[in-house]
Amino acid sequence: MTLIDTFFNVDVFVGVFPALLRGVINTLLLGVLAICFGIPAGIVISLLRLYAPRPVRWLTIAFIDIFRAVPLLVVLILIYFALPFVGIRLSAWVSATLAFSLVMSAYSAEVFRSGIESIPKGQFEAAHALGLSFITTLRKVVLPQAIKLVIPSMTSNCVSMFKDTSLASAVALPELLKEANDAQAFFASPTPLIGAALIYLAFLWPMVRLVTYVEQRSKLQNSR
């Protein structure tokens, strides 16, 4: 058997393609859910980190530090395999979504915190002089500017989140890598794994280029 037949077997790839397609859909869905839950939670956590009473700030700092320090795979395994010992049983989907969202919120909180802190304090003073409340100042003055500043970093985090969805195979969630692993064992061929790698490249490479474009555009706008 030639190298091409081993790693790029067309018949095997055609046979496994429907399973890989299911895996891609699940991968995209998991990534989107983690981002949709994680980013809003990150904004809230960053605001608490900056403006809440001191005990709440300490709790948010602990949350951010813990979920940025502990590997995502460890968080996922703890939720899926450890919680049942205290009577909390979550499905693979719920466990993965929760784990990814928690980690995404922690990283997002730090990104938004840096964005908010980069806004000059004069913006708050000017808004106060105009009679705007603190909440209105955050909502209409500070957050829009901060979000614009952190778009490049958040875009990069989102790409990383889609890449990390492959870790969900550890809890038997049928995402792309899990489907490829199962197919590799069934067909006794590495072709499904090569196919999965090519699919990851096909939908993540444009995102990587988007990150580069957004970063360059942001630098250009800031230099004006």
Side-chain angles (χ1 to χ4, degrees):
M1 183 175 290
T2 66
L3 187 66
I4 297 297
D5 291 334
T6 301
F7 290 96
F8 300 96
N9 191 303
V10 176
D11 293 334
V12 171
F13 183 77
V14 170
V16 80
F17 184 75
L20 296 182
L21 184 59
R22 288 195 304 270
V24 170
I25 294 173
N26 290 335
T27 291
L28 292 174
L29 181 58
L30 177 58
V32 169
L33 287 174
I35 291 168
C36 289
F37 289 131
I39 291 179
I43 294 176
V44 174
I45 294 169
S46 68
L47 294 176
L48 294 175
R49 163 75 172 80
L50 292 170
Y51 305 115
R54 184 170 295 177
V56 177
R57 293 205 304 267
W58 288 342
L59 289 175
T60 57
I61 291 172
F63 174 89
I64 292 169
D65 288 350
I66 289 172
F67 283 101
R68 292 178 69 209
V70 178
L72 176 53
L73 181 59
V74 174
V75 176
L76 180 61
I77 289 175
L78 285 175
I79 291 175
Y80 187 74
F81 291 106
L83 288 184
F85 285 94
V86 293
I88 302 175
R89 299 182 180 277
L90 303 176
S91 67
W93 266 106
V94 175
S95 299
T97 301
L98 179 59
F100 281 71
S101 298
L102 288 171
V103 173
M104 184 69 180
S105 67
Y107 279 95
S108 299
E110 274 299 279
V111 172
F112 283 115
R113 180 192 62 80
S114 65
I116 293 171
E117 288 184 332
S118 67
I119 303 300
K121 293 184 178 180
Q123 300 274 357
F124 287 92
E125 296 170 356
H128 180 72
L130 293 173
L132 297 180
S133 67
F134 180 73
I135 298 298
T136 302
T137 301
L138 284 177
R139 184 167 58 88
K140 293 189 175 182
V141 179
V142 176
L143 281 179
Q145 297 180 73
I147 290 173
K148 185 177 180 180
L149 290 173
V150 303
I151 284 177
S153 298
M154 286 308 307
T155 306
S156 180
N157 283 351
C158 290
V159 173
S160 297
M161 184 55 58
F162 278 111
K163 291 194 295 184
D164 289 341
T165 54
S166 60
L167 298 175
S169 61
V171 295
L173 192 148
E175 46 73 57
L176 180 55
L177 182 60
K178 171 64 174 173
E179 294 285 4
N181 272 326
D182 290 346
Q184 181 267 336
F186 180 81
F187 287 97
S189 169
T191 295
L193 296 176
I194 300 297
L198 293 175
I199 293 173
Y200 274 119
L201 180 63
F203 79 82
L204 286 176
W205 181 76
M207 294 185 187
V208 172
R209 297 308 308 164
L210 176 63
V211 171
T212 302
Y213 170 77
V214 170
E215 289 177 345
Q216 291 176 346
R217 184 176 178 83
S218 178
K219 291 179 181 179
L220 181 62
Q221 289 178 344
N222 293 334
S223 64
R224 292 177 179 176

